[in-house]
Amino acid sequence: MRRAEHGISKPGEPKRIPAKGRECSIPGCDNPMFSRLLCRKHYRRAAKGLPVADPDDGKVVGITRSGRSYWGVVEHDGERLVCHECGKSYLNLAVHIAMTHGPVREYRITHGLTMRQPLRTERLRDAARARGRQLAENLTDARSPRTLGLADAGLIVRGQRISSKQQSAIQRRRHET
């Protein structure tokens, strides 16, 4: 009987041990075999339905060179991501690609990257998450009954913008209380 969590070991079970002396069946990959004649990296890509190798060109993920990096892999040198085209490092590779090399979608297809693979460093992604959380907190403060009570009833109309004079009047009232 198959488990619902394909390939995930149950608590207390040992992790899958690579087969001794057997290597991945992908040409050029020297990693030990994990399952179905593939190493862990290639097996995980295949399990997600992603290409392990490009049948047209014979390119293999992480082995075949694609420009100045490897096909299907976003390399990083510590804190920055390396561009496949020019070999330079950037914090936000997507912006560089769009400004220099053309559409990001074509770049991803050309170099075997998935559409979900992040092209920003972890630090930038964390900063964006923090900004999103801060924005959500600011919105909850702005929508509180106390804040709405300070505004003129005539101004609280869905979709109506408030002029800068009206905003300053609301802020003055807020500071008075």
Side-chain angles (χ1 to χ4, degrees), residues 60-72:
V60 180
V61 172
I63 296 170
T64 309
R65 298 291 290 180
S66 177
R68 301 204 178 184
S69 189
Y70 290 100
W71 190 79

Side-chain angles (χ1 to χ4, degrees), residues 55 88 176:
K88 295 179 182 175
E176 291 171 1

